[in-house]
Amino acid sequence: MDADLELVSKARDGDVEAFEVLVQRHQHRLVHFARLMVSSPFDAEDVAQETLLRAYRSLGQFRGQSAFRTWLYQIATNVARTHLAKRRDRNEVQEPDGAGDTSGDHHREPASGENLERRVIAHDQLRRALADLPDDWREAVVLRDIEGLDYKEIAELLGIPMGTVESRIFRGRQRL
């Protein structure tokens, strides 16, 4: 059962506060997801904002065949792909920046001293390694291993067969 369905229904009917609750529920995870997809904290904020804007404008198209969260990730994936394509068109080099930014570590307990330093280094290494993966592998690995979506959700979200999802995750994990 999707806990967001009632809020989506209210938001469709013009209840702005219901959509604000949806934003509060999902915004942080969307920014984190976008950060791993586009490697820049500034671009990630833009991708997440554009995702939420598109979701709001397209609420009438959400049919409830998947979880609202899955639908949001589908929009975010498309926005991130567009962003990366535009970046490539401008011949920009995709390099992870914001080293030491642990904003994506919202679910962990605060650490101090050496433990914090190790976590920051590990987080930066993960970001760099993910940035080196082909886009389609990175999408699948991030959606599965970081965002926690199951294989079926990823297949639906990306519009690809389950076997392709499995293959991309396997290859991505191997390269990581």
Side-chain angles (χ1 to χ4, degrees), residues 62-129:
F62 177 67
R63 302 284 177 237
Q65 295 171 333
S66 63
F68 180 73
R69 174 184 81 145
T70 303
W71 186 67
L72 277 178
Y73 280 117
Q74 184 173 29
I75 295 169
T77 299
N78 290 334
V79 172
R81 285 176 177 169
T82 300
H83 174 82
L84 290 171
K86 286 179 182 176
R87 180 188 290 172
R88 276 195 234 31
D89 289 345
R90 292 188 313 252
N91 293 322
E92 292 181 10
V93 177
Q94 180 182 350
E95 286 186 29
D97 55 335
D101 172 20
T102 59
S103 61
D105 290 340
H106 64 282
H107 58 280
R108 297 190 179 163
E109 293 295 316
S112 60
E114 191 175 314
N115 287 338
L116 177 60
E117 182 179 355
R118 273 192 233 148
R119 265 209 345 244
V120 168
I121 290 169
H123 193 263
D124 184 56
Q125 288 172 332
L126 175 62
R127 250 195 326 266
R128 288 177 188 271

Side-chain angles (χ1 to χ4, degrees), residues 141 144-145 151 168-176:
V141 169
R144 175 67 189 132
D145 293 337
Y151 287 84
R168 288 178 182 180
I169 290 171
F170 177 78
R171 289 184 178 132
R173 286 174 178 167
Q174 273 191 317
R175 182 159 314 164
L176 285 174

